[in-house]
Amino acid sequence: MYKEKKVHLVCVDKPGMGGSAMAWDFSIRKDWPCVIAKVADSLGVREYGVFGVSNGGPYVMACLAHHDDAIRTRCRAAANVVGVSDVSGSGYFSVRHPSCFAEGLYNSLPLFVTGPMIWMGITAGRWYATGSDSRWNSLVSPAFHTPEARLVAAQCLQDASGNAGLGASLDCQQGLSPLYARPGQGPESADEAFRRINVPVALWYGEKDSTVPMKTAHWLSGGIQN
């Protein structure tokens, strides 16, 4: 499909995961759009689109709403698939959300504590989910009942557990924290930032998804003009 549509898909590892070095002072809002621009420069590409799923949502929105016009205008389209962005205005965190307490507690802890915690969880999950074909097939939909899919999942989990889980922990704490100030609180508030977006944006969410509520999609849709 990519070849037919002449689409070049480039996957960039987040800081501290896969082949990327750990960056202790990394900020999704300030730094990630610049990282993508530098990757594009290295490939000789001027304009590009961005795509993110779940905790990749904040990375997408950061590229679309970056404060630097020279960086932001290079991103010409985007897709945000069940992305958690932006918790500052979407109401993702609430007393009714089953994981809000756990995520709030997790985000309040230092990385050197949460890193090993998430490393143990990812390592155990990788062993349990991808350790055998039969167990893998019992956990995923039939479309993924292939050895290739299981190996890809195992590799992704292995990449995520790099640097003793510090990169994955940084990703969780950054992605599940507000990118911007709450709406109405100045030029770097979520509503003001998203008004800078003037390119096509696809939002893919589902009513049966219990992880990211539909009100997140409705809030994003109301704040994005395209």
Side-chain angles (χ1 to χ4, degrees), residues 8-221:
H8 296 274
L9 182 63
V10 180
C11 298
V12 183
D13 289 333
K14 297 175 181 178
M17 292 191 283
S20 293
M22 185 63 185
W24 294 97
D25 58 349
F26 172 76
S27 165
I28 294 177
R29 176 169 63 88
K30 296 178 181 178
D31 299 328
W32 187 252
C34 300
V35 169
I36 298 303
K38 288 180 180 178
V39 171
D41 287 341
S42 70
L43 298 173
V45 174
R46 171 61 193 169
E47 297 180 338
Y48 45 81
V50 290
F51 174 90
V53 181
S54 188
N55 219 40
Y59 294 78
V60 168
M61 304 311 298
C63 290
L64 289 169
H66 196 256
H67 64 276
D68 187 336
D69 289 349
I71 298 293
R72 185 182 68 256
T73 55
R74 296 181 64 177
C75 182
R76 304 305 301 160
N80 189 349
V81 183
V82 293
V84 298
S85 288
D86 182 324
V87 297
S88 61
S90 66
Y92 175 72
F93 290 113
S94 72
V95 294
R96 294 186 297 276
H97 195 281
S99 62
C100 69
F101 175 78
E103 288 169 350
L105 177 62
Y106 182 88
N107 285 355
S108 69
L109 298 173
L111 287 179
F112 70 84
V113 174
T114 58
M117 290 171 58
I118 203 168
W119 177 84
M120 289 187 289
I122 292 173
T123 302
R126 178 173 177 265
W127 172 82
Y128 179 79
T130 66
S132 70
D133 285 335
S134 59
R135 188 180 297 125
W136 170 254
N137 291 343
S138 70
L139 295 171
V140 301
S141 61
F144 296 97
H145 288 183
T146 65
E148 292 81 8
R150 182 166 67 89
L151 290 174
V152 168
Q155 184 62 54
C156 289
L157 291 171
Q158 181 175 328
D159 289 346
S161 64
N163 289 297
L166 293 172
S169 182
L170 176 68
D171 174 50
C172 287
Q173 293 195 359
Q174 286 270 322
L176 297 175
S177 297
L179 283 181
Y180 302 95
R182 291 191 177 277
Q185 295 186 358
E188 283 308 310
S189 63
D191 51 347
E192 290 294 328
F194 290 167
R195 287 195 185 104
R196 294 196 287 262
I197 301 173
N198 61 357
V199 298
V201 181
L203 301 174
W204 297 342
Y205 291 75
E207 293 182 352
K208 295 183 179 180
D209 185 349
S210 61
T211 304
V212 182
M214 280 296 294
K215 62 183 177 181
T216 296
H218 294 319
W219 182 83
L220 284 172
S221 178

